[in-house]
Amino acid sequence: MDDDGLPSQYFRGISYSNESRYEGGFENNQKQGFGILTFADGSGVAGQFENGMPQGFGVANMANGACYAGTFANGLFEGYGVYVRPNRTEFIGTFRLVFPRERTFMLAA
C-alpha cells in the first residue's frame, strides 16, 4: 500500500491543477506502465511511462499539430522515431535526447 492507502500498483485517472489529466498505470504514486497524459492545450503523450516520465515507445501530439511516434527516454525523444511537423514535413531517423517542442529537435548522425 502507498500513502493514499492504494495498492502499490494500480490504474486510475487523475486531474491536476494545471488542467492536465493522466489515465493509466501507477506504481508507488508515480505514472508507471501504459498511460495517456493530456494537457489543457490539447497536446499529450500516449505510451509507456516509467518513474513518472514517458519511457519506451509512445506517441506525442503537440498543440500546433506536430506529432512524434517513437521511443522516449526520461520524457525526451531518444532513439528511432518519426516526427511530423504541422506542414506534414517528416523526419524519420534516430533522435538524441530531444525535448518535445516544435522548435527543438535534431536527428542523430
Side-chain angles (χ1 to χ4, degrees):
M1 299 290 218
D2 67 12
D3 294 339
D4 293 331
L6 295 167
S8 61
Q9 294 180 337
Y10 53 95
F11 181 91
R12 78 177 196 193
I14 186 168
S15 295
Y16 300 97
S17 60
N18 65 358
E19 298 184 29
S20 64
R21 179 163 177 78
Y22 175 77
E23 295 184 56
F26 278 86
E27 184 172 343
N28 298 322
N29 246 358
Q30 289 194 0
K31 298 173 200 80
Q32 188 77 14
F34 182 81
I36 300 171
L37 177 63
T38 54
F39 298 96
D41 66 2
S43 62
V45 177
Q48 294 295 317
F49 285 79
E50 186 174 309
N51 298 318
M53 302 293 292
Q55 181 78 21
F57 184 78
V59 176
N61 292 304
M62 279 50 100
N64 66 3
C67 63
Y68 170 80
T71 54
F72 288 80
N74 296 314
L76 303 175
F77 303 167
E78 172 65 27
Y80 188 79
V82 177
Y83 182 87
V84 182
R85 286 184 161 177
N87 68 5
R88 304 336 264 165
T89 304
E90 294 183 1
F91 298 90
I92 301 170
T94 303
F95 292 75
R96 296 279 183 236
L97 300 176
V98 179
F99 187 76
R101 283 189 286 182
E102 167 61 18
R103 293 177 300 280
T104 311
F105 71 93
M106 69 177 73
L107 290 170

